[in-house]
Amino acid sequence: MKTIYYYQTFTGLDKCIENSQDIDVIILSSIHFGNFKNEPYIHLNDNIPESPIFDKVWLDLQKVYYQGVSIMVMVGGAGGAYQKLFSDFDMYYPLLKQFLKSRNYISGIDLDIEEHVDIKDVKKLINCLVKDFGEDFTITMAPVAESLLSDTPSGYSSLNYKELYKSLEGRNIKWFNTQCYGCYNFDTYDKIINNDYPPDKVVFGMVGGDFSNNNFKDALIEIKKVHKKYPKMTGCDIWEYINSPPDVHDPSQWAKQIKNVEFVNRPFLGIF
C-alpha cells in the first residue's frame, strides 16, 4: 500500500530523509503558468523553479529519491493553471516539458484540475506526456471524492472522470489521488469502488487539518476497514506534509502508521 505526501509548505524533509523506508511518493506542489510582458513562464508556487529559494527543496528531494522514494510534481489545484495552459498549449506545454526533463529524478505528474476545462484538452495533455516521457512516466489525477461518487462534474471541475477513465487516454492514468476531505470513511471509498473504479486505481486521500493526535486513530480505523475489504487498494495520500498527523513535529510518523495498517493482525503503534 503506497504512502503519498503532498509537499507544498517547504519546511524541509529531514524526517523523511531519516525515515524514508515507509515513504513511497512525494508530490511537489504546485506548478502554474504565467505571462509577463508577452514572456511566458512557469512557476512553482510564487517563484520560478530555478530560484535559489528552492535550492534546499531540490537537494532534499534528490536525497529521498536516492533512498528509493518516487518524486512527482503536481500541476494545478487552485489558481487557474489549466485554463492558462490550454489557452496557448503550444506556448506553455514546452515549458512544462522542459521543467520535467531538467530534473531526471522527477518520475511523474499529478493533474489536480479544479476548474472548468474541455476533456479534449486533458486528453491532449495526457497524450503529449506519454509521447514525451514514455508509458513508465506516472500520470495521476486528484479528483474530489464527489467526482468519483457520481458520473457528473462536481462544483470543483467540469470533468467527467468516468468518461475520461474509460477512454483510451484513461488507460495512462496510474491512479486517482482522491480528495476524501470531510468524508474520510469506509462508506466513501466503498461507494467509489461500487461506481466501477477498481481499488488499485483509487488512493484514499486525507487532509491533515481534519486529524490530529487525538483523532487520527479514527482515520486509521477507516483505512483498516477499506484495506480489509479491498486489499488491492493503491494506498493513502495526505495534503499536506507539514500537517501530517499524529505528530506534526515528525511528519514521517504518518507513513509509518499507514504502512502498519497493512498488517491487519498487528495493533496500531502505541504513540497515541
Side-chain angles (χ1 to χ4, degrees):
M1 185 163 64
K2 294 183 184 297
T3 54
I4 304 166
Y5 288 98
Y6 281 92
Y7 184 44
Q8 183 176 45
T9 304
F10 302 137
T11 54
L13 294 173
D14 294 346
K15 291 298 183 180
C16 283
I17 294 169
E18 294 173 10
N19 303 288
S20 62
Q21 68 276 3
D22 298 310
I23 303 164
D24 293 295
V25 183
I26 293 177
I27 303 178
L28 182 72
S29 306
S30 172
I31 291 293
H32 288 81
F33 307 91
N35 193 301
F36 181 72
K37 295 183 178 180
N38 294 322
E39 288 292 330
Y41 63 92
I42 190 170
H43 56 103
L44 173 59
N45 299 331
D46 297 326
N47 295 275
I48 61 172
E50 296 76 23
S51 170
I53 197 173
F54 297 130
D55 286 351
K56 188 176 188 306
V57 173
W58 299 124
L59 182 61
D60 283 353
L61 290 173
Q62 287 182 72
K63 287 180 179 179
V64 292
Y65 167 76
Y66 287 121
Q67 292 176 338
V69 178
S70 296
I71 306 301
M72 296 176 59
V73 173
M74 178 185 127
V75 175
Y82 292 93
Q83 290 189 17
K84 178 67 73 172
L85 171 63
F86 296 141
S87 70
D88 195 335
F89 191 80
D90 292 338
M91 179 171 64
Y92 289 110
Y93 177 75
L95 298 179
L96 177 62
K97 177 181 175 180
Q98 180 182 10
F99 165 73
L100 294 172
K101 284 187 175 293
S102 69
R103 293 169 175 83
N104 60 7
Y105 49 88
I106 296 176
S107 61
I109 191 168
D110 184 57
L111 308 178
D112 184 358
I113 304 176
E114 299 183 12
E115 53 195 287
H116 292 275
V117 297
D118 192 319
I119 193 171
K120 294 179 181 178
D121 289 327
V122 178
K123 291 179 178 181
K124 180 179 179 179
L125 173 59
I126 292 173
N127 283 328
C128 287
L129 289 167
V130 173
K131 176 184 175 182
D132 292 329
F133 296 95
E135 294 186 357
D136 290 337
F137 190 74
T138 300
I139 300 173
T140 64
M141 300 192 75
V144 296
E146 180 184 348
S147 295
L148 301 190
L149 287 167
S150 68
D151 299 332
T152 57
S154 73
Y156 289 88
S157 172
S158 61
L159 277 181
N160 183 321
Y161 279 90
K162 180 63 68 63
E163 179 183 349
L164 180 61
Y165 173 60
K166 295 293 185 180
S167 69
L168 290 175
E169 290 77 12
R171 296 182 303 177
N172 294 303
I173 301 171
K174 292 297 195 322
W175 67 78
F176 295 99
N177 293 307
T178 314
Q179 299 182 42
C180 300
Y181 304 166
C183 56
Y184 203 78
N185 54 62
F186 170 84
D187 288 342
T188 297
Y189 195 96
D190 192 46
K191 288 177 181 177
I192 291 172
I193 304 307
N194 289 331
N195 192 32
D196 204 23
Y197 290 96
D200 63 352
K201 291 287 187 179
V202 181
V203 166
F204 200 12
M206 70 171 66
V207 61
D210 284 350
F211 299 99
S212 66
N213 182 51
N214 295 325
N215 67 347
F216 184 51
K217 184 180 288 188
D218 296 336
L220 293 175
I221 289 171
E222 297 303 312
I223 296 168
K224 200 165 188 175
K225 291 178 185 176
V226 170
H227 187 262
K228 183 176 181 179
K229 183 172 182 179
Y230 302 110
K232 292 185 178 180
M233 69 179 294
T234 305
C236 299
D237 74 56
I238 184 161
W239 180 276
E240 58 166 318
Y241 175 78
I242 191 176
N243 293 323
S244 300
D247 183 0
V248 294
H249 301 293
D250 183 2
S252 71
Q253 290 298 319
W254 176 86
K256 186 183 296 294
Q257 291 287 324
I258 300 301
K259 287 292 188 183
N260 192 56
V261 170
E262 290 189 274
F263 301 94
V264 293
N265 294 320
R266 283 172 53 181
F268 295 128
L269 299 180
I271 62 174
F272 296 95

